[in-house]
Amino acid sequence: MPLLPKPYDDEVIGSVFARAAIQAGLPLKTLFGSIFSGRGSHSFLMTSELHRVAYFAGVDADELLSQHTMFPYAVAYMTRDVKAAFRTKALSLQPGQECLGSLTKSVSHGVPYRRFCPDCVRQDLRMYGESYWRRAHLLPGALVCLRHHKPLKIANLPLRGRTSMKDITLPHQAELLPTRLPASAALRMKLTERSVQALVGQVQVGNDWRESYRTRVLALDYQLSPGAVAGAALAGELRSYFGQPLLESMGCPLPRTCSDTWPALMTRPGIDTPFATPKHVVLDVFLDEGIQAPDDVTSLYQPPGKKTRDYARLDKATVTRIEKRIQQVVEAGGRTSIKALLTDAGVWSAFRHDRENFPATRATLDDFRTSNQAERQVGGRSYWRQRHPSRYSPTQGIDEATDEVSAAR
């Protein structure tokens, strides 16, 4: 009968499997084959068949789920009923219902490599003769060891993907990657504390957290005149406070050009889409800081109504696209048409209706019509010019050529 070592305090389930394989001298694949009744599904952060794993480890299944997987962190900001439903499913013995690995994807997405605290490793080696991977060090936004108040180190070991369950290396055996410390020490500590609170179930979540966020956001004056949340201003201030590198490292980046960003959606009533725990942590910490909205939040929004097109800019961009496409045709040794060039540039309709606003484009196309790359080359090829000279009139302008294409349609 296979036996798993009893998990240490806050040890993640993947670390338990790694220690078991080392102690038994078995490959992980062989170890899993003797533990799971079928083709079990498991990751470094979560496992299926919790009752079997708990039995072999000598602990209760509920204890294993709550204290040795990332399940509590993944469901931290869900409502009580949803948490209960997921817990029941995770502990179910029915085939096909044990694995909730998709819940932990939001955790590993922001943590590509495993982290550890060198001071904790030294203590583990002194106390147990071996080290292990802690859940609190593997959370998105957990950048500091709360026990020793020192930055965590990054190991050259992936946390996600298939390879994460093939490597049985423990922290004291791991090679280090260069560590960059985003944000200030105070902010790193706040994010770590809130992330660990989510892991151990110390965050207070009501049944309508959207309304709670909305109330807190409006209290900081992120508000438009009709009473709507100024989502663009909220996203901009949040990005400035945390920095894009830190947000990306947590798996929740903020684009600069989109007003419907995830902070705005998290405050919008009627949106039932669940959001990953790292986004809750980031927004929660930001609102706790009480950062006020900029003086004029409306300046970030364009007035309603039809937008005026910048033809000068569009004309310049169109010429660049057309020249690039012509160069590709030259390299391929082929031919193309004016309509194809304008369509590829995305301005066929605009050019047809407002060609006077495209002077540079018209000049470029006039030159193109006389080139060997034009399907309807002005003057034709030399053979046909000699055989049927009456068919070829003097060079037409680009306006006439475009009119001919439109009439043909």
Side-chain angles (χ1 to χ4, degrees):
M1 175 184 295
L3 293 176
L4 295 174
K6 190 169 184 178
Y8 293 125
D9 179 45
D10 196 44
E11 184 176 16
V12 71
I13 186 62
S15 177
V16 178
F17 290 139
R19 289 196 299 116
I22 292 174
Q23 294 174 10
L26 296 173
L28 274 175
K29 184 176 182 180
T30 304
L31 180 69
F32 289 152
S34 61
I35 293 176
F36 297 104
S37 57
R39 190 175 180 179
S41 177
H42 37 263
S43 69
F44 197 77
L45 308 175
M46 188 68 186
T47 184
S48 62
E49 300 190 49
L50 278 164
H51 283 273
R52 288 181 62 84
V53 176
Y55 171 74
F56 291 132
V59 296
D60 180 71
D62 190 74
E63 176 186 345
L64 184 69
L65 179 67
S66 302
Q67 299 182 22
H68 302 288
T69 73
M70 290 300 188
F71 177 85
Y73 177 85
V75 302
Y77 285 86
M78 296 182 182
T79 61
R80 186 177 303 172
D81 293 341
V82 175
K83 286 181 184 179
F86 274 123
R87 181 175 293 274
T88 300
K89 183 177 181 180
L91 295 172
S92 173
L93 290 176
Q94 298 180 19
Q97 292 188 345
E98 298 88 359
C99 181
L100 293 175
S102 59
L103 278 176
T104 63
K105 288 182 179 179
S106 63
V107 184
S108 60
H109 180 70
V111 189
Y113 294 95
R114 304 179 200 178
R115 303 187 186 120
F116 67 93
C117 169
D119 288 355
C120 288
V121 169
R122 283 190 287 268
Q123 290 182 356
D124 294 340
L125 291 174
R126 187 166 55 249
M127 294 177 61
Y128 311 120
E130 60 183 350
S131 61
Y132 64 94
W133 300 100
R134 287 170 166 80
R135 296 184 305 164
H137 295 167
L138 303 176
L139 299 173
L143 306 171
V144 182
C145 175
L146 294 183
R147 178 179 299 178
H148 298 101
H149 298 274
K150 293 182 179 180
L152 297 175
K153 301 296 183 181
I154 301 177
N156 189 20
L157 296 168
L159 184 62
R160 62 173 181 259
R162 294 182 180 272
T163 57
S164 67
M165 287 305 297
K166 295 180 180 179
D167 200 313
I168 59 175
T169 305
L170 297 178
H172 68 279
Q173 303 166 325
E175 296 181 3
L176 295 180
L177 291 176
T179 302
R180 295 180 180 179
L181 299 177
S184 64
L187 180 54
R188 294 197 300 267
M189 182 62 71
K190 291 173 185 176
L191 282 173
T192 301
E193 290 174 345
R194 189 58 52 88
S195 299
V196 174
Q197 288 172 0
L199 176 66
V200 299
Q202 293 181 356
V203 293
Q204 300 296 325
V205 183
N207 287 329
D208 194 355
W209 48 262
R210 287 179 181 81
E211 186 60 33
S212 174
Y213 287 146
R214 181 181 178 82
T215 302
R216 295 165 66 187
V217 165
L218 294 178
L220 295 174
D221 297 328
Y222 292 93
Q223 181 174 350
L224 300 176
S225 53
V229 170
L234 175 62
E237 292 298 312
L238 194 147
R239 188 191 305 110
S240 298
Y241 180 68
F242 289 101
Q244 188 74 334
L246 177 56
L247 293 174
E248 289 179 352
S249 73
M250 295 183 64
C252 45
L254 276 173
R256 292 183 177 274
T257 58
C258 180
S259 58
D260 288 335
T261 52
W262 57 262
L265 295 177
M266 290 179 73
T267 63
R268 186 172 299 174
I271 300 293
D272 295 329
T273 304
F275 292 89
T277 300
K279 294 180 179 178
H280 285 277
V281 170
V282 168
L283 185 57
D284 219 1
V285 169
F286 177 79
L287 296 178
D288 279 352
E289 289 299 293
I291 299 175
Q292 292 287 326
D295 294 335
D296 186 12
V297 296
T298 59
S299 63
L300 300 172
Y301 299 85
Q302 292 184 345
K306 187 177 180 180
K307 306 299 184 294
T308 302
R309 176 173 281 175
D310 187 349
Y311 279 104
R313 183 178 179 182
L314 182 60
D315 188 24
K316 183 178 179 180
T318 301
V319 169
T320 301
R321 295 179 193 138
I322 287 177
E323 290 177 343
K324 182 178 180 181
R325 178 59 185 146
I326 291 175
Q327 183 60 34
Q328 292 174 347
V329 173
V330 170
E331 293 173 355
R335 289 175 175 263
T336 188
S337 66
I338 289 176
K339 180 179 179 181
L341 289 174
L342 293 171
T343 301
D344 290 343
V347 295
W348 168 245
S349 179
F351 184 86
R352 285 179 56 208
H353 293 91
D354 297 294
R355 66 188 67 179
E356 66 277 2
N357 291 317
F358 292 85
T361 301
R362 293 168 62 191
T364 301
L365 293 178
D366 273 335
D367 293 340
F368 166 75
R369 293 188 70 248
T370 62
S371 70
N372 290 329
Q373 285 70 48
E375 281 187 355
R376 302 178 65 181
Q377 183 181 9
V378 172
R381 300 181 182 180
S382 58
Y383 172 82
W384 294 110
R385 285 200 304 269
Q386 295 173 7
R387 185 170 180 178
H388 300 288
S390 61
R391 291 186 180 183
Y392 299 98
S393 59
T395 303
Q396 294 172 300
I398 188 60
D399 293 346
E400 299 174 55
T402 310
D403 288 336
E404 287 182 5
V405 175
S406 300
R409 298 180 70 229

